[in-house]
Amino acid sequence: MAVPVAFFAVFFAYPVAAIVARGLQIDGSWQFGRVADVLAQPDVRHVLWFTTWQALASTALTLLIALPGAYVFARFDFPGKQVLRAVVTVPFVLPTVVVGTAFLALVGRGGLLDELWGVRLDTTVWAILLAHVFFNYAVVARTVGGLWAQLDPRQEEAARMLGASRLKAWRQVTLPALAPAVAAAALMVFLFTFTSFGVVQILGGPAFSTLEVEIYRQTSQIFDLSTAAVLTLIQFGAVAAILAVHAWTVRRRETALRLVDAATTARRPRGTGQWALLAGVLVTVAVLLVLPLAVLVERSLGAPGFGYYRALTRVDGGTFLVPPIEAIGNSLQYAVAATAIAVVIGALAATALTRRDAGRFVRGFDALLMLPLGVSAVTVGFGFLIALDEPPLDLRASWILVPLAQALVGVPFVVRTMLPVLRAVDVRLREAAAVLGASPWRVWREVDLPMVRRALLVAAGFAFAVSLGEFGATVFIARPDNPTLPVAVARLLGRPGDMNYGQAMALSTILMLVCAVALVVLERLRTDRSGEF
């Protein structure tokens, strides 16, 4: 635990504490009254209200649209199911900047809806809600669907034989068993939408702002660190409460059910109703998930002769100091370094968490590992700038700063992917190896590693994908001569002109393709029992 604890203490807790202290301290004295002053501001209360209700609305809409998909994945067996599973998962691993850009191409000025029917949604909350559904559809479909596939269908069939209607049998038998999974998925969707940044930044405009966007505005545009610190504390408290509830629901999900092999529960659709349900899910996936990405690709090809892509190789003297195409190499290099860091830290933490003699501190650290997913990435990025600027941690001019920030987001995915597999390793195998004289390192290398090698590769793939798309922290610490793909897309969208817009679409398409390739590799490595996030 020493290395993971030190890593999170130095590169997460210290920068966040530093920026909060900078905002709440004046002449060495704490100004806790500033919290009440900030909360009394009408604009701040409006941001808090909008952040909360749009997260609730996004969660409810995602559940409504994705639960039929979860049922289809769980109970139906049909040609192309694995391809559909990959298509559904692509949006989840896409950077939020790409998601926002895709919906901008669909519903924004000059977008597909604007050209066909003169309809624009980029200035309405509907664009944000639909983009959140697009991003989180896979969380519900695969998390709930993964459990649904393992529920014994004979229980519901027995209720039907005893006279219950299909709806009553589902409501009284299946729904209570699914409740922990639905609650866990809903809480994760709420967490992602409550802390939404890239989507709201691109689609919300000046009218809509979440806590994360407001923290960014107060930090980088107004330079009001005091207000930003208060908003950070509010978001931190809300995220901690969400994660506590999530941990409780996951424990219920793991211990309250008797499951069967998922391969025995799926069958081909039968009857008009089931085929209609499958068709409806396919249409939903095509319209909600595939169409925005297709429009994104189409807009990137708008200039003759791949003009937008060729423009990426030139320096315009304004937006970038280097050709935008160099952002691809920068992102790949940063993502590889971040993945290596995340795998080492995450593997050490996961190994420690599986020890039967782990104390309360180690078990509590499991929950703390999830905090980087919910705490303001903007705060972490700006905290890096003000905290890691003095020896022996003067890293402001170092390239490693970006991979370190990206690794903070990747570590939770590594831990969550490796923990179930490590916990499944028979402890008696380790004990037998130790009795025969093997050192702890040799036991891990020859007993644990062969069993978790596939999970380790899957974890590395997830860490690579999320590192590639990290935006909130990177936007502060990426140097102008070394931009990443998400930062480059955001800069291009921030400048007027069709050429800048087209180049943003082209870069977003490249980033989408890189993430999709990473996902295809993940699907090939994924075992049947590791299909959930």
Side-chain angles (χ1 to χ4, degrees):
M1 286 299 296
V3 174
V5 168
F7 178 80
F8 274 84
V10 173
F11 298 113
F12 178 67
Y14 176 48
V16 172
I19 192 171
V20 171
R22 181 73 65 91
L24 294 182
Q25 277 189 325
I26 299 178
D27 297 329
S29 61
W30 290 90
Q31 304 294 319
F32 291 109
R34 180 62 179 154
V35 175
D37 294 339
V38 171
L39 291 176
Q41 298 176 15
D43 291 345
V44 171
R45 291 202 301 270
H46 175 73
V47 168
L48 289 172
W49 167 244
F50 176 74
T51 302
T52 303
W53 87 257
Q54 67 81 23
L56 290 170
S58 297
T59 302
L61 192 60
T62 303
L63 289 174
L64 180 66
I65 295 176
L67 280 176
Y71 177 80
V72 166
F73 280 118
R75 296 304 195 204
F76 292 170
D77 186 18
F78 52 91
K81 182 176 178 179
Q82 294 303 320
V83 175
L84 183 64
R85 187 192 300 273
V87 169
V88 165
T89 312
V90 165
F92 181 75
V93 300
L94 286 180
T96 55
V97 171
V98 174
V99 175
T101 307
F103 271 81
L104 194 65
L106 179 63
V107 303
R109 179 180 59 84
L112 181 64
L113 296 185
D114 191 15
E115 291 182 352
L116 295 178
W117 298 294
V119 176
R120 288 182 56 188
L121 298 178
D122 58 323
T123 56
T124 70
V125 73
W126 281 107
I128 297 173
L129 297 181
L130 291 175
H132 284 161
V133 175
F134 170 91
F135 186 77
N136 293 292
Y137 185 97
V139 176
V140 176
R142 297 191 65 169
T143 300
V144 179
L147 179 61
W148 210 333
Q150 293 179 278
L151 295 181
D152 192 343
R154 292 174 297 182
Q155 298 178 8
E156 188 172 326
E157 292 169 0
R160 293 289 309 281
M161 292 181 63
L162 293 173
S165 64
R166 185 180 299 274
L167 178 61
K168 186 175 182 180
W170 182 83
R171 189 178 68 248
Q172 296 188 353
V173 177
T174 304
L175 183 58
L178 284 177
V182 174
L187 283 166
M188 289 305 295
V189 173
F190 184 85
L191 173 65
F192 291 141
T193 54
F194 187 83
T195 58
S196 181
F197 176 56
V199 168
V200 180
Q201 177 79 352
I202 293 174
L203 297 176
F208 303 107
S209 179
T210 58
L211 270 173
E212 186 82 353
V213 174
E214 187 63 18
I215 291 171
Y216 174 76
R217 190 175 74 90
Q218 294 289 341
T219 303
S220 64
Q221 299 176 10
I222 303 179
F223 303 106
D224 186 352
L225 291 185
S226 178
T227 300
V230 173
L231 296 178
T232 297
L233 289 176
I234 294 172
Q235 182 166 306
F236 183 86
V239 167
I242 294 169
L243 291 177
V245 177
H246 175 257
W248 177 71
T249 58
V250 168
R251 282 196 298 271
R252 285 188 58 196
R253 174 184 171 184
E254 290 176 345
T255 60
L257 301 174
R258 185 180 300 273
L259 306 178
V260 298
D261 186 357
T264 64
T265 62
R267 53 179 172 75
R268 291 185 65 83
R270 293 181 298 189
T272 305
Q274 292 187 357
W275 281 108
L277 176 61
L278 175 59
V281 169
L282 292 177
V283 170
T284 299
V285 170
V287 173
L288 185 62
L289 305 186
V290 177
L291 182 60
L293 300 180
V295 173
L296 175 66
V297 175
E298 185 270 333
R299 288 294 185 270
S300 73
L301 299 173
F306 297 95
Y308 293 142
Y309 289 91
R310 288 189 288 106
L312 296 176
T313 62
R314 300 192 294 267
V315 180
D316 63 2
T319 307
F320 301 99
L321 301 178
V322 295
I325 197 70
E326 292 191 12
I328 301 173
N330 296 335
S331 289
L332 293 175
Q333 293 174 21
Y334 287 145
V336 169
T339 299
I341 297 171
V343 167
V344 171
I345 300 299
L348 289 172
T351 303
L353 290 170
T354 56
R355 299 282 296 182
R356 289 192 301 173
D357 55 350
R360 182 175 300 176
F361 170 76
V362 175
R363 292 193 297 269
F365 189 65
D366 185 15
L368 294 178
L369 288 171
M370 295 290 289
L371 282 178
L373 294 180
V375 172
S376 170
V378 171
T379 299
V380 174
F382 196 69
F384 270 35
L385 293 182
I386 67 173
L388 305 180
D389 62 344
E390 296 179 357
L393 288 174
D394 187 4
L395 302 177
R396 288 180 61 172
S398 174
W399 67 272
I400 197 64
L401 207 60
V402 174
L404 287 171
Q406 294 175 344
L408 284 172
V409 184
V411 168
F413 286 91
V414 174
V415 175
R416 296 271 76 79
T417 303
M418 294 189 64
L419 263 181
V421 181
L422 283 171
R423 285 172 174 162
V425 177
D426 192 341
V427 69
R428 292 173 296 181
L429 295 176
R430 301 188 184 112
E431 294 171 349
V435 168
L436 292 173
S439 65
W441 163 245
R442 187 175 180 183
V443 170
W444 191 90
R445 189 179 72 246
E446 297 189 8
V447 176
D448 291 59
L449 183 58
M451 296 184 180
V452 303
R453 184 181 290 114
R454 187 184 297 271
L456 191 64
L457 292 173
V458 172
F462 271 123
F464 180 82
V466 298
S467 300
L468 197 66
E470 205 287 322
F471 174 64
T474 308
V475 70
F476 278 94
I477 56 182
R479 292 175 3 200
D481 57 341
N482 284 290
T484 63
L485 279 170
V487 172
V489 170
R491 289 180 183 173
L492 288 167
L493 287 175
R495 299 192 67 192
D498 291 338
M499 181 57 68
N500 288 314
Y501 178 81
Q503 289 182 79
M505 297 294 161
L507 274 182
S508 296
T509 300
I510 293 172
L511 185 51
M512 177 189 70
L513 292 176
V514 174
C515 290
V517 169
L519 179 63
V520 170
V521 175
L522 284 180
E523 284 293 320
R524 288 186 174 273
L525 293 174
R526 182 184 59 83
T527 64
D528 289 340
R529 293 181 181 271
S530 63
E532 303 170 30
F533 299 120

